[in-house]
C-alpha cells in the first residue's frame, strides 16, 4: 500500500498569536513550529500502522519554503519513509491542494490522508480540494480506517453519531481523533530521519482564488463575574436579565 | 444572478443550521443583487424555507442522492448552481459542508471561505471574515473569483423569520455520468426529536472529570433537559468512555459556538477552550478557584458541583415554570 500523508507546518498550540506588517502577516517571532497535530497524530500514525501491518510506504508531502524542512524531518523521525517538499508559498488551501494534486496525480498512491483541519487556519479544505482535483472519493472526519485488499472501511464522525463508509480503490480522507494514537519519535527515528530522502520539487503556477486582507484578535474578555455557590438562583437571574441567553 | 444555498436534511427534514444558511443566503443576495435559491435533495415540507428568506426552493428527487456521497452531491450542486446562474453557493461548515464546499470550490475554481462568521461586505472587493488560530484570532478574506463558495459556522447569525413561503420546484439533473464513489454501510445517529445536535445547539451543558464518573451524569442531563440544552463533555471524559465521542467538544473534538455554554468540573485546558471560546456566554462551575477556565468565563461559581448543580437545577426549574 502506497500512502501519501499531507502535512502542514503550524505554530505550537500554546503560541502567542500576534500579527505584523499592518496585521497582514502572522508574527513568527519566538514561535515554535510543529507538524499540524491532526496530520501527525492521526493521519501519519495510521498510515504507518497500515504499512507496518501490510507492507508499503508512507510519503509525507509539505508545500512550503526551505524553512519548513526541520518540521518535515519530524515526520520522518516518527517513521515516514520519505518526504517531498513542494517549493512554494502556501497562501491559501487551493494553492496547497493544487500542488499536492499535481505531484500525486501520476504516482499511484492508494490513499491520500490529511488531518481534519489545520490548527492555524481551521479550514478543513485541502483534502476535499485534492479529491476534487483528482476526481477521487473523499471521506472527511474519519476516526477509523481499516484496509482490506483494495477495499477500505472508514468510520466518519457526523453530528450526533457516525457513518460507516466503504470505498474501493484510491481515495482521499481527512483524519481525526480516534484513528490512531500519537507517537513520540525515539532516538533511532530521529537519527534515521537525517538520512531519509527529502526531495524538493518545484511548484506549478496557480491562480489566486482568495487572500487574507487583514488579521485581528478578538477584544479581551471582560472579567468573570462570580456568583455565590450558596445562591445559584442569582446566576439564573443574570443569565435571563443581563446575558439574555435564557 | 443568484445565491444558491445547499439545504441539508435529516430524514427529509431541514436541519436548523440550514435555516441559518438560507437566511445568510438571503442577506448575501441583498448585497450582491439577486435572489436566494435553496437547494434540497429528496426533501419534504420545504415551502417554509420562505420564512427564512428563500425566494424559491429547488428539490431534486433522485435515487443517486439517497446516500451521502460527496462526489455525486457536489456534481448535483454544481449543475444546480449553473441552472440558476448562482454566483455564490452557501454551505454550513459541518460534517456535510466539510465534505462538499472544498470539492465544489476546486471543481469550479471558485474561491472558498470556510467557517465564515459574518455576512460578506462588498465595498472594495467581496470580503468575508472567519475565525483562525482556533478562535484566538480572525481573518478577513477577499474572494477574487466571480463564482464564490462560503461555508458558514453555525450560530453566527441571528435569524429573522417572516410569514413568507417559497414555491418549491422539482429539479431534475443529469447524474448519469457520475458514478457512486463510495457506499454508506451504516448510519448511527441519536433519534430525531431530541436535543439539537452539538454544532447547532444554542444551549450546551458540558461536564468534565470533576464529575468523577459516568454514574454522576444524571444531574447534568437533568439540567440539559430543564433548559432544552444539548449535553457535551471534555476530552478525558470521552476518552474514558464515560460519554460518547460525538459529545466531546474541544480542539480534537467538535468546535461549537452556542449562546450559552455551562462547564461543570472542567478545568479549561487551552485545547478545550479552542473548541468553546466562541460561545457567547460561558458559565464555569468548578471547586478549584485557580481553574484556568475562570479566566475565559463570563460567570463563575466556585463550589462543589455535587452541591451547586442540584441547587442550580432547582433554580432553573423554578425559572422555567414561571417564564414558560
Amino acid at each position: 500500500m502506497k500512502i501519501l500523508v499531507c502535512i502542514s507546518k503550524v505554530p505550537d498550540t500554546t503560541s502567542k498569536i500576534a500579527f505584523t506588517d499592518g496585521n497582514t502577516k502572522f508574527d513568527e517571532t519566538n514561535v515554535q513550529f510543529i507538524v499540524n497535530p491532526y496530520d501527525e497524530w492521526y493521519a501519519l500514525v495510521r498510515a504507518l500502522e497500515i504499512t507496518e501491518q501490510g507492507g508499503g510506504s508512507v510519503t509525507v508531502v509539505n508545500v512550503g519554503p526551505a524553512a519548513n524542512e526541520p518540521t518535515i524531518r519530524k515526520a520522518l523521525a516518527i517513521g515516514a519513509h520519505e518526504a517531498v517538499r513542494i517549493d512554494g508559498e502556501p497562501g491559501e488551501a487551493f494553492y496547497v491542494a493544487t500542488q499536492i494534486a499535481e505531484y500525486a496525480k501520476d504516482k499511484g498512491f492508494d490513499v491520500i490522508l490529511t488531518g481534519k483541519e489545520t490548527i492555524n487556519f481551521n479550514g478543513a479544505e485541502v483534502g476535499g480540494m485534492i479529491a476534487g482535483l483528482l476526481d477521487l472519493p473523499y471521506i472527511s472526519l474519519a476516526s477509523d480506517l481499516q484496509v482490506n485488499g483494495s477495499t477500505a472501511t472508514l468510520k466518519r464522525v457526523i453530528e450526533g453519531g457516525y457513518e460507516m463508509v466503504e470505498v474501493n480503490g484510491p481515495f482521499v480522507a481527512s483524519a481525526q481523533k480516534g484513528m490512531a494514537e500519537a507517537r513520540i519519535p525515539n532516538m533511532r527515528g530521529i537519527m534515521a530521519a537525517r538520512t531519509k530522502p527529502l526531495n524538493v520539487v518545484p511548484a506549478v503556477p496557480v491562480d489566486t482564488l482568495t487572500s487574507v486582507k487583514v488579521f485581528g484578535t478578538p477584544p479581551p474578555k471582560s472579567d468573570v463575574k462570580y456568583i455565590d455557590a450558596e445562591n445559584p438562583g442569582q446566576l439564573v437571574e443574570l443569565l435571563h436579565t443581563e446575558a439574555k441567553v435564557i | 444572478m443568484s445565491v444558491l444555498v445547499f439545504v441539508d436534511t435529516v430524514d427529509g427534514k431541514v436541519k436548523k443550521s440550514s435555516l441559518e444558511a438560507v437566511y445568510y443566503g438571503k442577506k448575501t443576495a441583498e448585497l450582491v443583487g439577486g435572489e436566494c435559491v435553496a437547494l434540497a435533495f429528496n426533501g419534504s415540507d420545504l415551502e417554509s424555507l420562505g420564512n427564512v428568506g428563500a425566494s424559491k426552493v429547488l428539490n431534486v428527487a433522485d435515487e443517486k442522492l439517497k446516500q451521502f456521497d460527496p462526489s455525486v452531491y457536489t456534481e448535483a450542486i454544481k449543475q444546480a448552481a449553473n441552472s440558476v446562474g448562482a454566483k455564490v453557493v452557501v454551505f454550513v461548515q459541518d460534517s456535510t459542508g466539510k465534505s462538499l464546499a472544498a470539492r465544489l470550490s476546486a471543481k469550479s475554481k471558485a474561491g472558498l471561505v470556510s467557517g465564515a462568521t459574518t455576512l460578506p461586505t462588498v465595498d472594495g472587493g467581496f470580503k468575508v471574515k472567519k475565525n483562525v488560530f482556533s478562535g484566538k484570532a480572525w481573518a478577513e478574506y477577499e474572494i477574487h473569483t466571480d463564482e464564490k463558495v462560503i461555508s458558514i459556522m453555525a450560530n453566527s447569525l441571528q435569524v429573522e423569520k417572516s410569514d413568507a413561503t417559497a414555491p418549491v420546484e422539482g429539479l431534475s439533473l443529469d447524474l448519469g455520468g457520475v458514478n457512486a464513489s463510495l457506499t454508506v454501510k451504516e448510519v448511527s445517529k441519536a433519534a430525531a426529536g431530541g436535543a439539537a445536535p452539538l454544532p447547532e445547539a444554542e444551549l450546551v451543558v458540558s461536564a468534565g472529570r470533576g464529575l468523577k464518573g459516568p454514574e454522576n451524569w444524571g444531574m447534568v442531563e437533568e439540567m440539559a433537559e430543564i433548559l432544552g440544552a444539548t449535553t457535551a463533555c471534555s476530552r478525558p471524559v470521552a476518552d474514558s468512555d464515560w460519554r460518547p465521542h460525538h459529545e466531546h467538544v474541544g480542539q480534537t473534538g467538535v468546535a461549537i459556538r452556542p449562546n450559552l455554554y455551562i462547564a461543570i468540573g472542567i478545568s479549561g485546558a487551552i485545547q478545550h477552550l479552542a473548541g468553546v471560546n466562541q460561545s457567547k456566554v460561558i458559565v464555569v462551575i468548578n471547586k478549584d478557584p485557580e481553574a484556568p477556565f475562570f479566566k475565559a468565563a463570563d460567570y463563575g461559581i466556585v463550589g462543589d458541583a455535587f452541591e451547586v448543580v442540584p441547587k442550580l437545577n432547582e433554580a432553573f426549574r423554578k425559572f422555567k415554570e414561571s417564564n414558560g
Side-chain angles (χ1 to χ4, degrees), chain A residues 13 38 116 120-123 125 136 140 156 159 162 164 166 177 209 211 213-214 216 225 227 242, chain B residues 95 99 103 107 114 130 133-134 136 138 140 142 144 183 185-186 188 239 251 253 298-300:
Chain A
T13 315
Y38 306 115
K116 71 163 183 173
N120 50 355
F121 287 95
N122 310 103
E125 296 170 29
L136 291 174
S140 67
R156 195 174 158 259
E159 290 70 31
Y162 65 86
M164 297 303 295
E166 197 174 274
K177 185 171 166 261
L209 309 187
S211 56
K213 289 288 137 186
V214 63
K225 199 175 265 186
I227 286 123
E242 187 178 76
Chain B
S95 67
S99 300
R103 192 180 189 96
K107 288 250 174 216
S114 60
K130 64 167 280 187
F133 296 97
S134 306
K136 285 181 273 185
W138 52 262
E140 184 177 57
E142 180 171 355
H144 304 288
T183 313
K185 291 287 190 189
E186 178 195 346
S188 165
D239 281 355
Q251 186 156 55
D298 298 279
Y299 301 104

Side-chain angles (χ1 to χ4, degrees), chain A residues 109-194:
Chain A
F109 289 107
D110 300 292
V111 183
I112 300 178
L113 294 177
T114 70
K116 71 163 183 173
E117 64 186 50
T118 60
I119 62 167
N120 50 355
F121 287 95
N122 310 103
E125 296 170 29
V126 170
M129 286 181 174
I130 295 171
L133 293 167
L134 296 177
D135 240 329
L136 291 174
Y138 179 54
I139 298 94
S140 67
L141 305 168
S143 66
D144 188 49
L145 163 60
Q146 301 297 331
V147 178
N148 187 359
S150 64
T151 303
T153 307
L154 297 103
K155 184 174 183 177
R156 195 174 158 259
V157 178
I158 58 175
E159 290 70 31
Y162 65 86
E163 211 173 69
M164 297 303 295
V165 176
E166 197 174 274
V167 57
N168 290 300
F171 65 91
V172 182
S174 78
Q176 70 157 351
K177 185 171 166 261
M179 193 181 264
E181 292 293 330
R183 286 184 185 181
I184 298 161
N186 56 26
M187 192 45 76
R188 216 173 112 230
I190 294 165
M191 297 301 284
R194 292 185 188 165

Side-chain angles (χ1 to χ4, degrees), chain A:
Chain A
M1 184 132 275
K2 207 173 151 186
I3 306 177
L4 181 67
V5 178
C6 311
I7 58 169
S8 187
K9 185 187 91 166
V10 299
D12 179 45
T13 315
T14 54
S15 304
K16 184 177 180 301
I17 305 301
F19 303 97
T20 60
D21 293 17
N23 286 329
T24 58
K25 276 207 178 91
F26 175 63
D27 184 357
E28 300 192 356
T29 316
N30 297 325
V31 168
Q32 177 103 27
F33 285 96
I34 57 171
V35 178
N36 182 47
Y38 306 115
D39 305 347
E40 179 191 316
W41 299 344
Y42 310 126
L44 175 58
V45 174
R46 185 64 194 133
L48 294 172
E49 289 171 355
I50 289 169
T51 55
E52 282 158 10
Q53 286 155 13
S57 67
V58 176
T59 305
V60 289
V61 61
N62 172 261
V63 179
N68 286 12
E69 292 194 0
T71 309
I72 300 171
R73 292 269 175 214
K74 284 185 197 163
L76 290 171
I78 288 165
H81 301 95
E82 59 170 355
V84 174
R85 179 173 67 81
I86 302 174
D87 191 23
E89 276 299 330
E92 62 167 332
F94 183 69
Y95 180 92
V96 173
T98 305
Q99 302 303 341
I100 294 172
E102 271 301 310
Y103 168 77
K105 68 180 181 192
D106 54 6
K107 304 287 191 300
F109 289 107
D110 300 292
V111 183
I112 300 178
L113 294 177
T114 70
K116 71 163 183 173
E117 64 186 50
T118 60
I119 62 167
N120 50 355
F121 287 95
N122 310 103
E125 296 170 29
V126 170
M129 286 181 174
I130 295 171
L133 293 167
L134 296 177
D135 240 329
L136 291 174
Y138 179 54
I139 298 94
S140 67
L141 305 168
S143 66
D144 188 49
L145 163 60
Q146 301 297 331
V147 178
N148 187 359
S150 64
T151 303
T153 307
L154 297 103
K155 184 174 183 177
R156 195 174 158 259
V157 178
I158 58 175
E159 290 70 31
Y162 65 86
E163 211 173 69
M164 297 303 295
V165 176
E166 197 174 274
V167 57
N168 290 300
F171 65 91
V172 182
S174 78
Q176 70 157 351
K177 185 171 166 261
M179 193 181 264
E181 292 293 330
R183 286 184 185 181
I184 298 161
N186 56 26
M187 192 45 76
R188 216 173 112 230
I190 294 165
M191 297 301 284
R194 292 185 188 165
T195 53
K196 282 180 181 172
L198 196 170
N199 303 311
V200 180
V201 301
V204 294
V206 184
D207 290 338
T208 301
L209 309 187
T210 67
S211 56
V212 175
K213 289 288 137 186
V214 63
F215 289 103
T217 45
K221 202 129 186 160
S222 53
D223 283 347
V224 53
K225 199 175 265 186
Y226 285 101
I227 286 123
D228 182 8
E230 294 301 318
N231 184 17
Q234 197 199 342
L235 174 68
V236 178
E237 186 62 24
L238 287 167
L239 290 176
H240 180 57
T241 56
E242 187 178 76
K244 296 185 170 62
V245 288
I246 59 167

Side-chain angles (χ1 to χ4, degrees), chain B residues 12 32 199:
Chain B
V32 299

Side-chain angles (χ1 to χ4, degrees), chain B residues 214-225:
Chain B
E215 67 279 8
N216 296 325
W217 245 259
M219 61 185 187
V220 177
E221 285 172 342
E222 188 186 346
M223 186 187 290
E225 199 186 315

